[in-house]
Amino acid sequence: MDPFMHATIEEARASLAEGGIPIGSVLVHNGQILGRGHNRRVQRGSAILHGEMDALENAGRQPAAVYANAVLYTTLSPCAMCTGAILLYGIPRVVIGENQTFMGEEELLRSRGVQVEVLQDAECIALMREFIASNPGLWNEDIGEQPSGA
């Protein structure tokens, strides 16, 4: 397995162990991880700390040239918020663990010239399927869906 995708899965498992949503991400530049992160919405009571946002935050402020040559790895297809951050910073490539449990804004990324690679990794799929089955309310909150009848 790609060591960077392995690192994203480690982050997803760390989030799950903390009582959070099992989504992880790493930002890579020149073969080095600049920032690692995982979904911390539950743990930090945050409205925005999805895995990708946490990885970007943990990478710290970077020059535009770094983002322009970086790769963002994530266990799950990026939502609209995380896609916006990818586009804002000009990250040219995103490697996604899976998009079967949630299809994010991949077409928007592609339409803006971002190279998108989806691995359909069995471990990423299993992590999310188990989590969604056990925590449907929390999952719907995380992706901004309203419960039926609301």
Side-chain angles (χ1 to χ4, degrees), residues 12-126:
R13 290 197 176 284
S15 184
L16 188 61
E18 296 167 1
I21 298 162
I23 302 169
S25 184
V26 297
L27 181 66
V28 176
H29 179 258
N30 288 339
Q32 299 293 315
I33 295 176
L34 294 181
R36 303 172 68 107
H38 53 266
N39 189 303
R40 295 179 196 259
R41 288 189 68 250
V42 173
Q43 301 92 310
R44 298 247 177 108
S46 172
I48 63 167
L49 277 182
H50 281 187
E52 300 92 334
M53 303 298 276
D54 194 40
L56 288 167
E57 178 70 14
N58 290 331
R61 183 175 164 203
Q62 298 292 327
V66 169
Y67 294 119
N69 291 291
V71 180
L72 185 75
Y73 287 76
T74 180
T75 56
L76 187 65
S77 186
C79 73
M81 174 178 66
C82 297
T83 293
I86 292 163
L87 295 174
L88 177 69
Y89 291 108
I91 298 169
R93 183 169 175 240
V94 178
V95 179
I96 299 167
E98 66 102 353
N99 65 7
Q100 291 183 13
T101 60
F102 176 76
M103 173 60 77
E105 300 296 331
E106 294 173 27
E107 288 308 314
L108 175 58
L109 289 169
R110 287 185 182 102
S111 78
R112 298 281 295 273
V114 176
Q115 179 188 351
V116 176
E117 180 181 353
V118 183
L119 304 178
Q120 300 304 13
D121 179 84
E123 190 171 357
C124 293
I125 294 166

